[in-house]
Amino acid sequence: MADTKISAPPAQPAPSNRQRGRLILIGLGIVVIAAIVLITHPGHIGQKVYAQAAGHKIYKKDIESLQVTDGKKNKVSDHQAATVLADKYLTEAMAKQYHVTVTQADITQAYGSSVTKQKKTNPYGYQNLVNQLYLTKLDNHNEGVYQGKLLVANFSRYVPYQSGLLPEQQKANPLLGNPAAIAQDKQYAQKFITNLYNQIKSGKITFDQAIQMEHADPMVGENSYYSTQQHSSSFNGPLKQIGLLVARSIRGKITSMKPGQLSSPFVVRVSNSATDQNSTAESYFLVVRMDKVSGGGSDATFQQQLAQAKKHYGYKVNV
């Protein structure tokens, strides 16, 4: 059998000048990227991450900046400082997502002009206040912010409130709980507000003129028995801050209104028992003009929304 020769593998051609140039450029690119990382994150390699949120990592140096008050180290713990910074990045990311803004004017309006000094003298306290304002605005946005005008015609003068004081109140006011007296007041209020509504619809009066007519009415206005009750006005805010719109019985009606919509008169039922949360009674008529709606429409509570956001934005506090 003839000997079999094992031939050497063919020699690889030397890289061309173009290939060598490309390899050099790739190498330089890697060096540049590494340099950028070192410049933008100096000293962070291998360091402990105290917290993180929305793509931001929080290190020892970051939390130390919040642990000084008037130039002296305060009692703010690492956990407290890390949490406030994580909350800052979380709430800012959520605000951007939902188009909610917090301006310096908002901060001053909420906490007073002296809050600006606190930014330097007590950075932890200042950032905590700012975070709370973001959370408040985000909570309001989740519930919905409503702007418009409303007319009210009260008729609750003889509607009883079920409590231990009711017997004594009925002695002082024998008509309290009297069905005929309640019906008479209700009939007046309904006729009054329906007349205002019809005049607004026909263009005979403006909504603002109707508000003034309610204020001046001797039976339901500001100088009547209902002088201490809420009266017709403009509104702007979440429903929980608008007394006449806060009743659970009308929540669905109000939240379904669109900007530019005018409601016809409708009756509002409110709680009328100190012991039974489900007990309600008719109390007043409303006409609502909705001018602007922001947010709302979410099936989740704000706490549920916040929990979802923490998961989405990788919120962690590690101390």
Side-chain angles (χ1 to χ4, degrees):
M1 188 172 182
D3 292 339
T4 303
K5 284 188 175 182
I6 300 175
S7 58
Q12 296 294 323
S16 66
N17 290 336
R18 178 180 293 180
Q19 289 173 323
R20 281 196 295 269
R22 186 179 299 169
L23 290 172
I24 291 171
L25 287 175
I26 292 172
L28 287 173
I30 293 171
V31 171
V32 170
I33 292 172
I36 291 173
V37 171
L38 289 173
I39 292 170
T40 55
H41 300 280
H44 288 166
I45 296 177
Q47 285 192 10
K48 177 179 179 179
V49 177
Y50 282 70
Q52 60 190 61
H56 296 270
K57 292 184 177 180
I58 297 161
Y59 298 94
K60 181 67 173 177
K61 184 177 180 181
D62 301 315
I63 66 173
E64 284 178 342
S65 67
L66 299 186
Q67 294 175 316
V68 175
T69 301
D70 291 328
K72 299 178 181 178
K73 187 172 177 61
N74 56 34
K75 295 181 180 180
V76 174
S77 68
D78 288 356
H79 174 76
Q80 290 172 315
T83 300
V84 161
L85 286 175
D87 288 349
K88 163 185 161 64
Y89 295 125
L90 174 69
T91 55
E92 287 176 352
M94 290 179 68
K96 185 177 181 180
Q97 177 183 348
Y98 294 111
H99 307 289
V100 171
T101 59
V102 174
T103 65
Q104 188 60 49
D106 294 331
I107 297 169
T108 301
Q109 182 179 3
Y111 302 117
S113 57
S114 61
V115 73
T116 305
K117 292 182 179 179
Q118 196 171 354
K119 188 174 183 179
K120 291 184 178 180
T121 60
N122 182 8
Y124 170 80
Y126 175 83
Q127 189 58 57
N128 196 31
L129 290 175
V130 174
N131 292 348
Q132 291 306 312
L133 187 55
Y134 267 102
L135 288 169
T136 297
K137 281 203 165 192
L138 287 165
D139 187 2
N140 291 343
H141 183 271
N142 181 69
E143 181 180 358
V145 178
Y146 302 86
Q147 183 176 348
K149 298 178 185 291
L150 57 82
L151 294 174
V152 60
N154 290 288
F155 61 89
S156 60
R157 174 169 45 167
Y158 299 125
V159 177
Y161 184 80
Q162 306 299 323
S163 73
L165 299 175
L166 183 57
E168 292 299 318
Q169 293 171 341
Q170 287 177 320
K171 286 181 181 179
N173 184 359
L175 291 178
L176 191 61
N178 183 291
I182 296 172
Q184 184 176 359
D185 279 2
K186 180 182 176 181
Q187 183 180 26
Y188 180 91
Q190 185 172 21
K191 183 178 179 181
F192 175 76
I193 200 166
T194 300
N195 180 47
L196 292 181
Y197 168 76
N198 288 336
Q199 290 187 75
I200 293 171
K201 285 282 287 184
S202 65
K204 291 182 178 179
I205 61 173
T206 65
F207 208 102
D208 287 335
Q209 287 173 326
I211 288 175
Q212 294 306 314
M213 291 169 72
E214 185 273 323
H215 289 180
D217 187 77
M219 289 293 293
V220 298
E222 292 180 321
N223 295 320
S224 69
Y225 169 84
Y226 301 105
S227 60
T228 59
Q229 303 260 4
Q230 297 181 77
H231 290 271
S232 304
S233 65
S234 300
F235 60 87
N236 185 6
L239 294 186
K240 62 187 176 184
Q241 295 178 7
I242 307 169
L244 290 170
L245 300 181
V246 77
R248 288 183 297 172
S249 63
I250 63 169
R251 183 177 180 86
K253 185 177 186 69
I254 299 302
T255 57
S256 65
M257 290 186 69
K258 306 297 182 185
Q261 186 175 351
L262 177 69
S263 77
S264 56
F266 60 92
V267 72
V268 180
R269 299 186 68 91
V270 300
S271 174
N272 76 325
S273 175
T275 56
D276 184 358
Q277 294 184 350
N278 295 319
S279 179
T280 61
E282 294 180 342
S283 180
Y284 52 90
F285 285 99
L286 279 182
V287 169
V288 177
R289 190 186 83 186
M290 191 66 69
D291 295 335
K292 185 178 179 181
V293 178
S294 171
S298 173
D299 293 330
T301 67
F302 179 61
Q303 290 306 315
Q304 291 171 331
Q305 188 183 70
L306 190 60
Q308 292 168 1
K310 285 184 175 182
K311 185 176 180 180
H312 175 75
Y313 288 111
Y315 179 99
K316 291 181 182 178
V317 177
N318 303 318
V319 290

